[in-house]
Amino acid sequence: MSDAPADVPQTDPPRDEVSVTRHTVTVDGRELAYTATAGTMVLADEAHGKDGESEGTRPRARVFFIAYALDGDHDPRTRPVTFSFNGGPGSSSVWLHLGVLGPRRVVMGDAGALTGPPYGLTDNAHTLLTDSDLVFIDPVSTGFSRAEKGEKPGDFHGFTRDIESVGDFIRLWVSRAGRWLSPKFLVGESYGTTRAAGLSGYLQGRHGLFLNGIMLVSAILDFSTVDFTPGHDLPYVVHLPTQAATAWYHGALEGERPLADVLAEAETFADGEYAAALHLGARLDDSRQGEVARTYARLCGLDVDFILRSDLRVTLARFRKELLRGRGLTVGRLDSRFTGLDRDHAGAEPSDDASMTAILGPYAAAMNHLVRVELRFESDLPYEILTGRVRPWSYREFENRHVRVSDTLREALHHNRHLKVLVASGYYDFATPYHATRHTLDHLALNPELRGNVRETFYEAGHMMYVHGPSLEALARDLRDFVTWAQ
């Protein structure tokens, strides 16, 4: 019998809500049966009284996840499990899920050949489920994940608390599923790579959960590489090769050369003559400035006078607007193969990101269909594909300095010398440029004996390289090979 007064309404504690369904997918002519579990798991903190003794748990949030397990008699000691999430901050796990990893995949076409609404969903013959069970995690306030009643959502909207909540979910899932002895992997995309690097330290240090491998898709581990603050020249250097790739793709360069040759020359120029010129600042004489501007223009398809007026420093927004201004087009940020139309052709910056606009609709339609119709999870909440509700995002741990998690990743590699890392980059990605990622890895200060633990792969596509058919096939193959190698 309850001791609570009769006039005080009593509520049941929050509990997990899941839907379990069974499906098949055909891969390489072989039909694979799998079980999908979609639902929310209650995330709770341990509560303590004034004397420090445990008083049970305090529910903090409901975290939505979708897990796929290959049916059959698999030994959990050899069957890997991979935890996946995207970035934003504010993004659900939809992109990696329905783009490359999961057993179902979006049908949307590609740059220059997009399909129209209502879009489609098909079996994914490239799914990583062949080699690993999969768990897709939506951080709090994304997807169907929400803070519990009485809790402040903003408490989860920051660098450290985000890592803690996702890491605690992983620990809880592994414990309940009995997978502590399974090979364990993380795969993150964009800010999800920042999260993954942070998790590599948190999981080891807080829970003693050591990973076999981390897959970083379109990585950003050092935010100084994308900060165009005046006086900070590094972003101009590491963005230039992507500018050259973009100009090559859109036919804005003279002559016909292979992309590999264009990139090789652009990288050499960026790291050498161009970086040295920016370093000199006002000490750079007019003659040398003109030479640098002419080489820049030849490699990146811009007008020499425009580069000189920009003091050799063409910001990302200006480049995206300027390259195809004569055609009345802008180029995308996430994927510069995509082009957009602006109302103001004379403006200095694009009005939006054409690549994000092209990708959002198909993925939103496919995910809402998948969750409610195929996986039979019932909820009238809006599934937050990519939300601004997480703003402002707190980086208070990095006050007065750039966000940097590469040191955490290095420490995880040093503490766990079996840990392997895959870094996948797209040549047409302006959000996390491939040369910026390379710069970060080159400054990782990793022990020479462990450098072989890190693999780099590159694709002729953008941030979500899997929207490009050949890149999807290559990325999926590289991910499968990595999981095999890292066990």
Side-chain angles (χ1 to χ4, degrees), residues 434-487:
Y434 81 93
H435 206 54
T437 301
R438 178 177 288 162
H439 174 88
T440 301
L441 296 178
D442 287 343
H443 294 78
L444 199 58
L446 192 63
N447 185 283
E449 294 181 1
L450 297 175
R451 289 174 185 168
N453 287 26
V454 180
R455 284 184 177 179
E456 290 184 81
T457 57
F458 303 92
Y459 310 90
E460 291 190 30
H463 198 67
M464 290 106 159
M465 65 280 292
Y466 38 80
V467 304
H468 175 239
S471 295
L472 165 63
E473 294 182 13
L475 175 63
R477 181 177 60 251
D478 292 338
L479 294 175
R480 289 194 299 269
D481 290 346
F482 175 79
V483 168
T484 300
W485 173 59
Q487 292 183 55

Side-chain angles (χ1 to χ4, degrees), residues 111-112 114 246 249-250 320 323-324 327-333 335-342 352-355 357-358:
L114 293 170
T246 303
Y249 179 85
H250 290 288
R320 291 176 50 221
L323 179 67
L324 303 181
R327 306 181 202 175
L329 301 172
T330 63
V331 298
R333 173 177 173 266
D335 191 328
S336 62
R337 298 176 305 130
F338 289 81
T339 58
L341 300 170
D342 279 357
D352 60 17
D353 178 4
S355 50
T357 302

Side-chain angles (χ1 to χ4, degrees), residues 173-457:
W173 191 95
V174 167
S175 296
R176 291 185 178 179
R179 301 299 295 269
W180 272 93
L181 296 184
S182 298
K184 291 175 283 293
F185 293 82
L186 302 181
V187 54
E189 180 182 288
S190 195
Y191 184 82
T193 65
T194 308
R195 179 184 293 123
L199 282 168
S200 70
Y202 179 74
L203 290 173
Q204 287 185 182
R206 174 65 183 89
H207 297 304
L209 195 157
F210 281 57
L211 300 164
N212 291 75
I214 301 176
M215 294 164 273
L216 306 177
V217 180
S218 302
I220 180 163
L221 308 179
D222 183 348
F223 284 35
S224 71
T225 60
V226 296
D227 178 11
F228 283 92
T229 298
H232 179 56
D233 288 332
L234 176 60
Y236 298 100
V237 174
V238 296
H239 278 70
L240 191 145
T242 300
Q243 293 182 359
T246 303
W248 177 88
Y249 179 85
H250 290 288
L253 303 182
E254 294 184 0
E256 295 185 4
R257 304 171 61 196
L259 175 61
D261 291 351
V262 172
L263 292 177
E265 184 178 1
E267 291 166 11
T268 299
F269 171 70
D271 292 338
E273 185 180 1
Y274 181 59
L278 298 187
H279 173 71
L280 287 175
R283 289 178 290 154
L284 184 69
D285 61 56
D286 291 346
S287 174
R288 187 173 175 189
Q289 184 183 48
E291 292 176 3
V292 171
R294 285 189 290 273
T295 303
Y296 191 160
R298 178 175 60 81
L299 284 171
C300 298
L302 299 176
D303 181 76
V304 173
D305 289 338
F306 178 79
I307 294 173
L308 289 171
R309 292 196 305 273
S310 301
D311 193 28
L312 302 182
R313 296 163 175 83
V314 180
T315 64
L316 171 57
R318 285 185 177 182
F319 178 86
R320 291 176 50 221
K321 182 72 173 183
E322 189 66 23
L323 179 67
L324 303 181
R325 187 187 294 272
R327 306 181 202 175
L329 301 172
T330 63
V331 298
R333 173 177 173 266
L334 293 175
D335 191 328
S336 62
R337 298 176 305 130
F338 289 81
T339 58
L341 300 170
D342 279 357
R343 182 177 185 272
D344 181 9
H345 294 309
E349 300 180 358
S351 60
D352 60 17
D353 178 4
S355 50
M356 184 72 253
T357 302
I359 294 169
L360 178 60
Y363 277 80
M367 190 63 184
N368 278 281
H369 169 84
L370 175 72
V371 171
R372 291 178 169 89
V373 178
E374 298 188 10
L375 303 185
R376 301 176 188 170
F377 181 80
E378 300 291 338
S379 176
D380 287 335
L381 289 174
Y383 186 88
E384 298 289 351
I385 297 286
L386 183 61
T387 181
R389 290 185 174 187
V390 302
R391 308 288 180 182
W393 189 263
S394 173
Y395 292 108
R396 64 178 181 271
E397 303 85 355
F398 299 94
E399 188 173 358
N400 296 323
R401 60 192 178 100
H402 287 112
V403 177
R404 178 184 171 93
V405 292
S406 53
D407 293 333
T408 303
L409 181 62
R410 183 196 66 248
E411 290 178 4
L413 284 158
H414 282 184
H415 294 165
N416 174 14
R417 299 182 188 182
H418 296 282
L419 177 63
K420 306 294 194 303
V421 177
L422 174 70
V423 184
S425 303
Y427 289 129
Y428 303 113
D429 177 9
F430 272 128
T432 57
Y434 81 93
H435 206 54
T437 301
R438 178 177 288 162
H439 174 88
T440 301
L441 296 178
D442 287 343
H443 294 78
L444 199 58
L446 192 63
N447 185 283
E449 294 181 1
L450 297 175
R451 289 174 185 168
N453 287 26
V454 180
R455 284 184 177 179
E456 290 184 81
T457 57

